[in-house]
Amino acid sequence: KYDKEWILMLDDWLDGVDGSTPDGVLAQLMPAGMKMGSMAMGPGQDDHSSGKPASPHASPSHKSSGPSRVLHGSHSQLLRGEAGSVNYPLYLANGRIPTQPSTFRCRPGERIRLRIINAGSETAFRVALAGHRLTVTHTDGYPVQHRTTDALLIGMAERYDVLVTAKDGVFPLVALAEGKKGQALAVLRTDKGRTVPPAGVRPDELDGEVVPARRLVPADSVVLDDREPDREMRIRVTGTMEKYDWGFDHEQYDERQRHPVRAGERVRLTLINATDMWHPLHLHGHTFALTGLDAAGARKDTAIVLPHRKLVVDFDADNPGLWMLHCHNQYHSESGMMTILGYRK
Ligand SMILES: [Cu+2]
């Protein structure tokens, strides 16, 4: 039970800042002379209704524009390597920059359900609320057994719900751009004063305990029942920052690709990260269970796989159709790290 709900939407932003565009930054990330024909989801390329494949040549909107946003040598201990390849001028919490943060007001002692969404394109956020511990109750919309933590690391498209009981005062909620320079800020306030935390404030909790998704235990109501897989699917996550050739099994996305399943099957999907970078991998249309050591793990639809590690998830094929499996690093997916799960008749 809770008294109030506080939704926190986190974002990384460059579109329109000093002439930058996401497509322009993608062009900066690609090695010179590389064609962009594998891109299928960009604006101006929605000519699929004509039956023609997307143009193999970069359209004018894909010319690099604005200053270089390419980030070299970022490092994150939590992400076991480079955190990202794009340096953002702005990190936002509920659409606001840190010098003009949004404020959530409540009374001391009230219990708040905080729903945190990483809507960014290329940034993991490490999130903490000064002076408070977080009680994690849900991830990606599915309940877990309550677990307290100081901070959470949230990949692109991941969602976490946490409970906090408000203390009395003014408390910065900081979303650190993990391994990058900058942060997003929002403020929890119970008093009537006018003080605003400085934009660069860094609560101690950010350097405290960070519970990863694999340590969460699903609530009894959503535990995936114990069942042997009918089908095992192994996919390698491939590509390098230098070539910017992100893909699965060394192939860039093609809309004819199919990873077949049949309705009714229990599927075990193993994603082997053969790259030097982490990826937030997302499956549409299903909610998988992380596989734990001796029991099914938390239910999720997006999960972080660290460099040279694997992510093993189980799901029930119970939603016939064609479903995207892709990296939720938008620049990775646009450069080819997408494929399709397809139900067989
Ligand atoms: Cu990726």
Side-chain angles (χ1 to χ4, degrees):
K1 289 203 168 64
Y2 52 94
D3 301 305
K4 286 195 168 141
E5 188 173 74
W6 181 15
I7 297 173
L8 189 76
M9 181 84 85
L10 303 172
D11 210 347
D12 48 14
W13 195 271
L14 55 78
D15 200 5
V17 181
D18 298 328
S20 289
T21 65
D23 286 323
V25 171
L26 181 60
Q28 293 174 355
L29 292 165
M30 295 275 184
M34 183 155 169
K35 288 178 182 174
M36 316 266 288
S38 64
M39 286 176 44
M41 288 169 72
Q45 299 217 343
D46 52 347
D47 56 352
H48 294 161
S49 58
S50 67
K52 289 185 299 188
S55 163
H57 302 291
S59 64
S61 67
H62 295 135
K63 291 245 172 63
S64 172
S65 54
S68 173
R69 303 291 186 189
V70 178
L71 176 64
H72 293 289
S74 68
H75 182 78
S76 161
Q77 194 95 41
L78 287 174
L79 294 168
R80 305 281 193 276
E82 290 205 37
S85 304
V86 180
N87 204 1
Y88 282 83
L90 300 172
Y91 297 100
L92 307 177
N94 291 345
R96 313 273 302 185
I97 58 175
T99 48
Q100 296 169 34
S102 66
T103 298
F104 185 84
R105 287 186 173 78
C106 70
R107 286 192 292 275
E110 279 190 315
R111 186 182 250 196
I112 302 157
R113 182 188 200 182
L114 178 53
R115 314 186 77 171
I116 312 165
I117 304 155
N118 183 351
S121 290
E122 221 264 350
T123 306
F125 288 101
R126 198 191 323 170
V127 180
L129 175 62
H132 295 73
R133 271 172 72 84
L134 314 172
T135 301
V136 182
T137 67
H138 296 71
T139 181
D140 298 355
Y142 276 71
V144 297
Q145 292 182 22
H146 291 190
R147 176 73 152 86
T148 57
T149 185
D150 290 313
L152 285 169
L153 178 69
I154 309 180
M156 293 78 83
E158 283 191 294
R159 292 89 71 207
Y160 282 91
D161 294 5
V162 305
L163 292 172
V164 294
T165 301
K167 294 182 179 169
D168 195 7
V170 180
F171 305 98
L173 190 153
V174 174
L176 199 66
E178 179 65 24
K180 298 185 176 182
K181 199 168 169 289
Q183 62 187 30
L185 175 68
V187 177
L188 173 68
R189 174 186 292 280
T190 64
D191 75 3
K192 295 195 172 55
R194 310 197 88 150
T195 53
V196 177
V201 60
R202 186 171 170 133
D204 292 341
E205 287 79 3
L206 284 169
D207 299 305
E209 186 186 18
V210 182
V211 172
R214 66 175 183 281
R215 294 262 177 264
L216 296 173
V217 178
D220 290 343
S221 57
V222 299
V223 175
L224 204 60
D225 58 318
D226 195 19
R227 181 177 159 187
E228 284 301 306
D230 303 297
R231 183 187 294 275
E232 301 226 19
M233 200 179 278
R234 292 171 75 84
I235 298 176
R236 285 173 76 80
V237 180
T238 55
T240 65
M241 270 160 269
E242 296 70 35
K243 292 184 179 159
Y244 225 77
D245 56 347
W246 304 111
F248 291 122
D249 292 325
H250 300 283
E251 285 181 27
Q252 269 69 59
Y253 174 67
D254 181 304
E255 61 191 68
R256 291 164 298 190
Q257 288 167 348
R258 295 291 180 272
H259 292 273
V261 296
R262 276 182 209 280
E265 289 178 337
R266 167 65 58 86
V267 182
R268 174 158 295 173
L269 172 61
T270 301
L271 293 149
I272 303 148
N273 186 358
T275 79
D276 291 335
M277 198 174 179
W278 73 285
H279 306 274
L281 297 172
H282 175 52
L283 175 63
H284 289 202
H286 303 77
T287 302
F288 50 70
L290 302 176
T291 51
L293 285 176
D294 43 30
R299 300 290 299 277
K300 282 180 75 60
D301 56 49
T302 308
I304 290 173
V305 63
L306 295 172
H308 303 286
R309 302 288 282 274
K310 62 185 178 181
L311 176 70
V312 185
V313 301
D314 287 349
F315 66 91
D316 285 324
D318 58 2
N319 193 6
L322 299 176
W323 297 106
M324 300 303 303
L325 169 68
H326 67 97
C327 179
H328 230 290
N329 180 317
Q330 210 67 40
Y331 293 87
H332 292 188
S333 59
E334 285 289 307
S335 75
M337 196 177 272
M338 302 193 290
T339 191
I340 298 172
L341 184 81
Y343 280 68
R344 281 202 164 130
K345 291 248 165 58

